[in-house]
Amino acid sequence: MTDIDKVSELLEQAEALPYGPSRMALCEEAVRLADECKDDRVAYDARMTMTEAAVFGGRPEKALVAFAWCVAKSDADPENFPESTALAGIWLTGVDILWSYKWITLNSPGFSQISRPQIETTLEDMKRRYEANGFSLRPYWMEKARTHYYMGDGQDAIDECTREFRDAKRDLYADCEACEMNFVVETYHWRDDYDGALSSAQPLVSGQKGCAEVPHVTLAGLVIPAFQAGDADNAERFFRRGYDMCKSNRDFTSEVAKYIDYVRMSGDATKALGMFEQHLGWAAESFAASERQRYFEAGWTLFEELAEDGVESVSMRIPRELSIPNDDGHIETASARDWFRNEVTEIVDAFDKRNGNTVVSERTLTERLATRSPSR
Amino acid sequence: MEHKFQINLGGIIDLLSNHLYSSPSVYVRELLQNGVDAISARRHVEADHEGHIAIQLAMSDMGRPQMVFTDSGVGLTEAETHQFLSTIGESSKRGALEERRDDFIGQFGIGLLSCFIVSDEILMVTRSVKGDAVVEWRGRADGTYDVSTRQDDSVPVGTTVFLSCKEGCEDWFEPERVRELIINYGGLLPFPITFETDHGAEQLNIADVPWRVDFATKQAEWRANMAFGKRVFGQDFFDCVPLHSTVGEVNGIAYILPYTPSPTAKRAHRVYLKNMLLSEASDNLLPPWAFFVTCVVNTNQLRPVASREAFYEDETLQQTRDALGSALRQYLISLKNTDPDRLYALISLHYRAIKALAVYDDEFFELFIDMLPFETSLGRMSLGDFREQNDIIRYVPSIDTFRQIAQVAASQSMGVINAGYSYDADLLEKFGAMFPNETVERIDSTDLADDFEDLDFDEREDAFELVKIADLVLQPFKCRTDIKKFEPSDLPALYLAGDDVNFMRSLEQSKEVADEHWGSILSNLANSRNVDSYAQLCFNFTNPLVRKLIRTHDREIIRLSVQMLYVQALLMGHHPLNASEMALLNTGLIDLIDSALSGGGPPGGWVQ
């Protein structure tokens, strides 16, 4: 078997695996081997496959690196590496630059070190490429709406994008129906409209529609609002079904954080602590500040309430990346609370600075207060 | 009286044969389905009606093959005959046809239509359980039909369909072929299906489908199940597991493959809906990890999608899948208690599938993780054996990294697991999360160096000059140097790169080709929290060449040698060279040769 065949075999094996570290490792090995072969074709294919594995395996930084290489290759030699591999409504190969671009724009705002102008230029570059190939801008408007929300831009800017999204036609590059429905559910959450979110999520909650990330993220988005709205039965249902879907993939670090919040709010702080310890490694290793932020928020309130309940210290394994003060695994809850609060503050300050407003820090504080256990 | 269809029948037939149905052979399936539905409808009226289907193949007077298909079902009245035809005429939209699948009469009409794929004319003689008139319907592919009624008490209740073979469709009337099709689609039907040709009559369906039989002993049941598997799939299996689910009303048997399947290969399950073969694919009936079995199942409740290759992904299906998955899981667990040898044999064939299950299922994980095989620097062994020999579970997440460090790790007799294979990294990550008292370390080559032996004071003094120069030389490559003692001693230097360094190397690689916009994004990305982007070149003090280099005082020779050792260590570790490293290799080699020719000479014997 030649090394080039070996690359194809590795990629085929990778694609048969669920998203996660194994799939990622096979893709990385394929990329290295392809580079050794000095064959741009396989190196391109390997990086495209890796972009997908990285996005859905919770390694967006690796997706950005692989994607940037592919964009450069495609721009330099568009004939051999076209940015769209769809012709007359049919895919000729799997994922291409236009399709992956959605994941890239979705994930960029989560890195506080990527600047506002860089994010905006990326979005406009995506738009230009969609237009140049004659495809509907529906996915662009969807990601632009999300970007506005993450970067704390006003509701008007978001509304304009969701209107444009609604009016743009669905074509080959539109997200699957489940993903689009999930987006609509998100827009209700952004306006704190639980009833709207719940009713628009019905086809996803009932399992009628679904895909690789839906209803995983949908259920996680609903669980806290359901509990807050007094809809305890649904909240528990969403948790039971949804946590199972998320607990094995670091791509769902933020979603797991929401379930930890929920379990604590519903009165089981011990269980919440166990879950928190189990997935803390994901947040510790996460490159994207937004994932660490959401997870550390869950830790902040968890240790705050443990401390208030008179639990002075707990035993917990601490990933080596984190400098939480501890005595051989014994943590003082009060100092853990302070540590997580400081981390969150540092991250949201970085986001505020990048965004040029204070929406993220304000939103975070409001949400922390709102997710305190109801008995308090 | 002659009536006219309201539609273009040719168009509909084309639609059915090219879009809804995959092959002309479906006419047999549709006739059987009509017969089965009619018999169940009759049972609603006469509970103890047993039912019977007879298929007869013969030659017509004109020498054309003919089929006579008779069922002892509920039959149709004249009004119903018109109703099913109006159904056909109602709409040519596929969606409307699909909706009709829930109603008996509509379904009947559509099923009968498929016969036009192989026959220009269909004659149906039917007598309803509700009335005594015999109705004769004759339809033609040009879209015309006649209906007439007569009194004839000698005609039994039920329906008979006469087909005469269309030009070019002779293959589909071949007795052997028709026989196979009947067995294929209707082999599990619970009432007699007889098939008659010039050579006589026979009953085609399997009377003793194992899940319908009460067995006296477990052994008898097992033997019957295995024999049934051989009969259905034509092969022997490793073992079998009965499947039952109240949700979806599912009964069946899963057969464990006697070989290791490729995880990407499609499984050939035989799935029956109300005892009629639905599909040989049905990917979503079993959980995704169950790729080590092939099964025969019947369901009375699940709803197939239009292509019939899968079921609607609804809550019923989810519960059914859970029930079937738990039967397989329970089988594995009970095997662990009753027949561990057999379980080990099964694991050696199907460890990939078992690992896939363990990733999702915490309880199963706890029971099985120690039995699962891993590749390690100490050879292939189960995790349990590995844990007995090693206090710490160290693993590397890729085959490449493993290759880089396996030799060194083995020389230090350190146990490291190669988690570069399917599910391994996920499993070990999970192990650490589930058992907080066990130490699981994901390591990279830098961690390996922590265990290398340090130099004593005098040795350090001797080596100081080399390390100092090497640091300066490799600074532009973001590489620090160190010197330690490690095995194997023929290795002069080891390039140690952690995950962060590897990430930075790939980032730099993309930056080399990226435009300004992406280049600036990548620069910002590199500018991240506490990322240690420095790699390390660790010289081996026990290596003779390195010792010679320490004794050399020619700084130029040291510079050139360090550069070449750096490039060599990169290549040995399978790290692709970036542009400046490639330049280093090119100029460095020339300089070194030049310097050797000018008489200074490099330290002898270092080129490997």
Side-chain angles (χ1 to χ4, degrees):
Chain A
M1 192 187 326
T2 68
D3 278 355
I4 292 179
D5 293 338
K6 181 93 194 350
V7 175
S8 316
E9 199 194 82
L10 283 170
L11 294 176
E12 200 178 305
Q13 279 178 21
E15 287 180 325
L17 287 177
Y19 296 114
S22 295
R23 181 162 172 158
M24 200 54 211
L26 289 181
C27 287
E28 289 187 312
E29 201 189 339
V31 168
R32 275 198 290 274
L33 195 58
D35 286 345
E36 274 188 287
C37 298
K38 300 245 168 287
D39 183 315
D40 280 354
R41 175 82 262 157
V42 291
Y44 186 87
D45 291 347
R47 280 186 173 79
M48 272 292 166
T49 311
M50 175 150 115
T51 303
E52 183 191 349
V55 165
F56 292 98
R59 289 286 182 197
E61 69 281 3
K62 295 190 176 182
L64 284 173
V65 168
F67 181 76
W69 190 95
C70 292
V71 168
K73 189 58 47 187
S74 169
D75 286 348
D77 182 3
E79 203 157 303
N80 285 310
F81 304 98
E83 57 191 10
S84 166
T85 58
L87 195 69
I90 299 162
W91 295 107
L92 298 181
T93 63
V95 162
D96 59 23
I97 289 193
L98 286 199
W99 188 274
S100 322
Y101 223 132
K102 300 188 268 186
W103 305 329
I104 298 301
T105 47
L106 172 68
N107 280 286
S108 299
F111 295 94
S112 51
Q113 67 267 45
I114 301 184
S115 71
R116 180 180 271 274
Q118 283 172 335
I119 289 167
E120 284 166 355
T121 309
T122 305
L123 263 171
E124 291 323 294
D125 186 54
M126 170 184 176
K127 182 179 182 210
R128 180 182 64 74
R129 290 174 198 266
Y130 270 67
E131 280 173 336
N133 287 278
F135 291 107
S136 164
L137 292 180
R138 200 170 158 94
Y140 160 79
W141 291 115
M142 179 159 142
E143 299 313 342
K144 188 165 184 175
R146 283 180 168 138
T147 304
H148 281 315
Y149 177 76
Y150 298 147
M151 301 218 298
D153 302 337
Q155 189 64 39
D156 289 350
I158 297 175
D159 287 347
E160 190 205 329
C161 295
T162 48
R163 257 197 316 278
E164 293 281 359
F165 161 79
R166 213 183 37 219
D167 296 345
K169 77 172 191 325
R170 270 183 67 84
D171 66 11
L172 202 60
Y173 280 92
D175 269 0
C176 78
E177 275 184 80
C179 286
E180 287 199 344
M181 278 184 191
N182 178 66
F183 167 69
V184 173
V185 177
E186 277 174 49
T187 62
Y188 283 103
H189 285 312
W190 296 342
R191 291 186 305 241
D192 288 325
D193 180 352
Y194 169 65
D195 291 336
L198 184 63
S199 68
S200 57
Q202 262 329 304
L204 305 175
V205 171
S206 69
Q208 221 174 312
K209 297 259 190 298
C211 64
E213 295 199 313
V214 174
H216 315 39
V217 293
T218 322
L219 295 172
L222 285 167
V223 70
I224 295 173
F227 186 79
Q228 287 165 335
D231 192 355
D233 286 353
N234 261 334
E236 185 63 16
R237 209 175 114 221
F238 299 151
F239 166 67
R240 292 212 173 280
R241 223 172 122 220
Y243 176 58
D244 249 15
M245 295 176 169
C246 295
K247 69 175 186 194
S248 303
N249 184 348
R250 67 170 71 231
D251 188 28
F252 301 117
T253 304
S254 296
E255 282 70 24
V256 166
K258 293 175 187 172
Y259 289 121
I260 293 168
D261 272 339
Y262 162 73
V263 169
R264 172 185 51 75
M265 291 163 80
S266 65
D268 198 342
T270 314
K271 183 173 173 185
L273 183 65
M275 288 164 67
F276 187 75
E277 177 186 31
Q278 200 177 117
H279 303 285
L280 184 56
W282 290 352
E285 289 169 21
S286 175
F287 229 82
S290 56
E291 300 280 302
R292 269 178 296 140
Q293 178 201 328
R294 186 62 189 82
Y295 203 84
F296 290 170
E297 281 180 40
W300 167 8
T301 318
L302 176 63
F303 285 104
E304 182 172 75
E305 293 191 353
L306 283 171
E308 285 169 6
D309 288 344
V311 181
E312 273 178 25
S313 83
V314 295
S315 310
M316 192 175 86
R317 274 196 331 147
I318 302 164
R320 59 178 172 178
E321 291 86 352
L322 303 184
S323 59
I324 306 171
N326 73 95
D327 176 15
D328 197 21
H330 297 287
I331 304 182
E332 278 181 35
T333 49
S335 57
R337 170 201 62 205
D338 295 345
W339 191 89
F340 282 113
R341 187 180 49 212
N342 287 341
E343 287 288 313
V344 171
T345 311
E346 240 173 69
I347 296 170
V348 296
D349 285 350
F351 276 126
D352 281 355
K353 193 162 158 247
R354 190 273 308 275
N355 297 343
N357 57 45
T358 53
V359 175
V360 168
S361 56
E362 285 159 19
R363 194 186 277 157
T364 305
L365 273 179
T366 316
E367 201 179 297
R368 278 309 96 203
L369 284 176
T371 55
R372 293 196 23 102
S373 295
S375 51
R376 281 148 218 278
Chain B
M1 182 170 72
E2 189 170 287
H3 306 263
K4 183 81 182 137
F5 288 139
Q6 298 297 302
I7 47 145
N8 176 348
L9 187 60
I12 286 262
I13 292 168
D14 177 69
L15 184 78
L16 290 176
S17 49
N18 292 322
H19 300 288
L20 202 52
Y21 300 132
S22 47
S23 137
S25 68
V26 297
Y27 88 94
V28 176
R29 180 183 81 196
E30 293 299 319
L31 283 172
L32 277 169
Q33 189 69 61
N34 278 350
V36 170
D37 291 345
I39 288 168
S40 355
R42 185 160 178 190
R43 284 210 184 118
H44 284 297
V45 191
E46 300 167 19
D48 55 351
H49 177 71
E50 202 210 341
H52 175 227
I53 286 177
I55 300 121
Q56 199 184 356
L57 278 181
M59 284 294 171
S60 73
D61 301 342
M62 328 259 290
R64 303 288 306 157
Q66 267 191 323
M67 178 186 286
V68 182
F69 188 103
T70 307
D71 69 62
S72 69
V74 69
L76 296 172
T77 62
E78 190 189 356
E80 285 167 344
T81 316
H82 284 287
Q83 192 195 335
F84 87 70
L85 287 168
S86 71
T87 298
I88 298 168
E90 204 162 70
S91 166
S92 62
K93 282 199 207 108
R94 200 173 140 195
L97 289 179
E98 274 309 306
E99 278 162 27
R100 277 291 178 179
R101 286 214 157 265
D102 285 342
D103 109 62
F104 164 61
I105 302 290
Q107 203 168 322
F108 178 80
I110 294 156
L112 196 62
L113 253 195
S114 69
C115 294
F116 279 124
I117 300 170
V118 295
S119 176
D120 283 328
E121 190 177 277
I122 299 171
L123 170 63
M124 177 181 77
V125 178
T126 180
R127 190 166 157 211
S128 171
V129 76
K130 289 179 252 174
D132 46 18
V134 176
V135 181
E136 249 190 54
W137 174 88
R138 194 182 292 271
R140 287 164 292 268
D142 64 4
T144 56
Y145 73 92
D146 309 298
V147 179
S148 63
T149 56
R150 61 188 156 87
Q151 289 296 325
D152 184 348
D153 290 346
S154 72
V155 174
V157 169
T159 302
T160 303
V161 175
F162 298 80
L163 301 180
S164 70
C165 176
K166 204 186 213 175
E167 198 81 44
C169 288
E170 292 78 8
D171 282 0
W172 302 107
F173 282 73
E174 267 300 312
E176 201 35 50
R177 190 154 200 177
V178 172
R179 185 177 175 277
E180 268 174 34
L181 287 170
I182 297 169
I183 293 175
N184 187 38
Y185 290 122
L188 296 194
L189 288 171
F191 44 77
I193 315 287
T194 51
F195 181 61
E196 194 182 336
T197 62
D198 300 346
H199 305 294
E202 59 174 326
Q203 181 174 331
L204 290 187
N205 49 329
I206 302 171
D208 48 352
V209 176
W211 58 82
R212 291 192 206 128
V213 181
D214 282 328
F215 290 99
T217 65
K218 281 270 163 207
Q219 268 125 324
E221 182 183 0
W222 186 84
R223 273 196 303 273
N225 285 348
M226 291 301 274
F228 184 68
K230 171 120 190 172
R231 184 161 168 189
V232 173
F233 293 104
Q235 69 173 100
D236 289 313
F237 291 97
F238 181 88
D239 203 349
C240 60
V241 185
L243 299 175
H244 302 286
S245 164
T246 333
V247 182
E249 285 183 43
V250 178
N251 282 301
I253 301 163
Y255 292 97
I256 294 166
L257 300 172
Y259 54 85
T260 306
S262 150
T264 44
K266 287 266 175 226
R267 230 42 63 216
H269 302 305
R270 289 183 66 86
V271 179
Y272 294 78
L273 179 62
K274 296 184 183 161
N275 295 309
M276 280 282 294
L277 181 75
L278 176 77
S279 154
E280 292 178 74
S282 293
D283 257 354
N284 59 352
L285 184 64
L286 287 176
W289 49 264
F291 52 79
F292 65 115
V293 300
T294 186
C295 60
V296 189
V297 289
N298 178 56
T299 165
N300 289 336
Q301 275 188 354
L302 296 176
R303 231 176 112 215
V305 300
S307 73
R308 292 176 166 248
E309 272 165 15
F311 291 102
Y312 270 97
E313 191 64 55
D314 55 14
E315 249 171 72
T316 318
L317 178 63
Q318 205 180 337
Q319 287 167 13
T320 309
R321 190 165 43 218
D322 288 350
L324 300 186
S326 96
L328 286 173
R329 181 179 176 278
Q330 210 45 53
Y331 159 78
L332 293 167
I333 292 172
S334 70
L335 210 53
K336 187 177 180 206
N337 300 323
T338 57
D339 196 349
D341 289 344
R342 198 169 177 73
L343 179 60
Y344 272 107
L346 190 150
I347 287 177
S348 71
L349 283 177
H350 298 302
Y351 60 88
R352 263 213 208 94
I354 312 249
K355 284 180 174 181
L357 168 58
V359 168
Y360 294 109
D361 184 328
D362 294 355
E363 198 186 328
F364 187 83
F365 180 93
E366 274 189 57
L367 289 171
F368 279 79
I369 187 65
D370 273 340
M371 303 174 77
L372 297 175
F374 289 84
E375 193 190 304
T376 82
S377 57
L378 309 171
R380 192 182 161 83
M381 60 177 79
S382 71
L383 189 66
D385 289 345
F386 183 84
R387 295 207 299 126
E388 251 170 49
Q389 297 175 31
N390 299 274
D391 294 337
I392 298 175
I393 302 178
R394 294 191 181 85
Y395 75 97
V396 289
S398 85
I399 298 171
D400 252 11
T401 319
F402 185 75
R403 212 181 287 135
Q404 288 163 33
I405 68 168
Q407 189 196 9
V408 179
S411 303
Q412 333 278 323
S413 37
M414 179 202 268
V416 178
I417 296 179
N418 176 1
Y421 296 99
S422 310
Y423 308 110
D424 286 358
D426 311 65
L427 287 172
L428 295 171
E429 199 173 87
K430 187 175 176 129
F431 190 89
M434 286 192 50
F435 305 107
N437 295 329
E438 302 283 338
T439 312
V440 179
E441 278 179 6
R442 173 188 151 130
I443 65 165
D444 49 43
S445 45
T446 52
D447 299 301
L448 199 63
D450 294 344
D451 285 14
F452 292 167
E453 191 189 332
D454 285 316
L455 308 193
D456 66 27
F457 185 79
D458 291 340
E459 291 165 339
R460 255 215 113 72
E461 285 292 302
D462 287 347
F464 182 72
E465 191 67 10
L466 169 65
V467 175
K468 200 178 76 183
I469 298 174
D471 260 343
L472 277 172
V473 171
L474 298 180
Q475 211 277 330
F477 302 97
K478 291 197 166 184
C479 182
R480 283 186 214 102
T481 53
D482 198 357
I483 184 160
K484 292 200 175 187
K485 295 178 194 169
F486 56 92
E487 294 300 324
S489 60
D490 58 359
L491 203 64
L494 198 59
Y495 179 78
L496 303 167
D499 290 346
D500 285 347
V501 172
N502 285 328
F503 174 65
M504 286 303 161
R505 284 186 70 87
S506 63
L507 188 143
E508 290 299 326
Q509 212 184 341
S510 289
K511 239 173 86 177
E512 273 176 20
V513 295
D515 65 12
E516 206 190 315
H517 168 62
W518 280 102
S520 73
I521 289 185
L522 293 175
S523 297
N524 284 8
L525 200 61
N527 217 337
S528 184
R529 46 140 208 151
N530 52 33
V531 170
D532 181 7
S533 55
Y534 266 76
Q536 197 185 69
L537 188 70
C538 187
F539 293 108
N540 188 359
F541 192 76
T542 60
N543 177 266
L545 167 72
V546 171
R547 297 290 268 276
K548 278 187 195 169
L549 207 51
I550 288 171
R551 289 195 296 273
T552 309
H553 296 291
D554 186 333
R555 296 180 135 243
E556 183 57 10
I557 293 290
I558 295 179
R559 183 183 70 87
L560 289 171
S561 305
V562 165
Q563 288 179 342
M564 287 303 100
L565 285 176
Y566 171 67
V567 174
Q568 191 217 17
L570 276 176
L571 290 173
M572 283 194 45
H574 301 275
H575 298 277
L577 303 186
N578 64 31
S580 53
E581 287 156 357
M582 198 56 107
L584 195 65
L585 178 63
N586 292 333
T587 60
L589 261 184
I590 302 289
D591 288 352
L592 207 59
I593 293 168
D594 186 51
S595 129
L597 291 175
S598 333
W606 74 273
V607 178
Q608 304 252 314

